[in-house]
Amino acid sequence: MSTNTEARISLLERDVADLRTWSLEQSKVSVAILAALGDLQKGQEELRAEVGGLREGQEALRKDQEGLRAEVGGLREELHAEVRELRKDLYTEARSLRGEIGVVRSEVGGLRNELGGVKEELKEIRGDLGAVKRSAGNLESSMKRVEGDVAEVKAGHIELRNLVAGMIR
């Protein structure tokens, strides 16, 4: 895997983690907002019971609630759009990585073929080495025979010299 690819993956992973953190925070904000809205509604009911003349304040709170819901909806849409974009980027990156893996596999196949050729050459060299060893053994045997023949010739020569010396005396 190239350093550039690793850096892009690391960046994407960091972005996904940031997005998840942001989403969790948004969920907490949404829960808090919804909880606050529930509290507001309870407060409104209590206020209605206590003070009937505060209906205008209640309407303002409802408008705020709708604004918050719209804001939460907008944030959710932004979150979904970012998630879709991240998925698209991840798909593109995964496709690119698959291509790189294919290239590496192809290179590995080529190396395997080369290794097979090297093994064949090594087998041939071992065969040649065996033939050389046999030839060296044959040469040693021939040399021993020649040494034996030379020893016989020397013995014959000494014997001949002794005969010639015996004739001369």
Side-chain angles (χ1 to χ4, degrees), residues 41-167:
Q41 288 175 344
K42 287 180 185 176
Q44 287 174 354
E45 290 173 12
E46 292 173 4
L47 287 174
R48 266 190 240 138
E50 293 180 19
V51 183
L54 296 176
R55 292 186 183 202
E56 289 179 14
Q58 181 183 9
E59 188 60 34
L61 289 174
R62 284 186 186 166
K63 287 180 182 179
D64 288 344
Q65 179 183 5
E66 289 172 6
L68 289 172
R69 283 186 180 156
E71 187 176 335
V72 167
L75 290 174
R76 282 186 181 145
E77 262 313 302
E78 286 179 32
L79 176 64
H80 289 299
E82 287 184 38
V83 167
R84 281 191 299 272
E85 188 64 31
L86 281 174
R87 283 184 181 160
K88 181 180 169 185
D89 291 346
L90 286 173
Y91 175 77
T92 302
E93 187 64 28
R95 196 171 58 211
S96 172
L97 289 174
R98 284 186 187 120
E100 289 178 26
I101 288 171
V103 169
V104 168
R105 282 184 178 161
S106 175
E107 289 174 359
V108 167
L111 290 174
R112 283 185 178 150
N113 289 339
E114 286 181 38
L115 181 59
V118 168
K119 284 181 180 179
E120 266 312 302
E121 288 178 20
L122 184 59
K123 187 177 177 182
E124 289 175 18
I125 289 171
R126 284 183 179 152
D128 291 347
L129 182 60
V132 167
K133 284 181 180 179
R134 284 189 300 276
S135 294
N138 291 339
L139 182 60
E140 285 178 10
S141 296
S142 295
M143 287 299 294
K144 284 180 184 177
R145 275 184 271 160
V146 166
E147 287 172 356
D149 291 345
V150 167
E152 284 179 25
V153 167
K154 280 183 180 180
H157 181 282
I158 291 171
E159 190 178 321
L160 184 60
R161 218 171 58 193
N162 288 339
L163 283 173
V164 168
M167 291 170 131

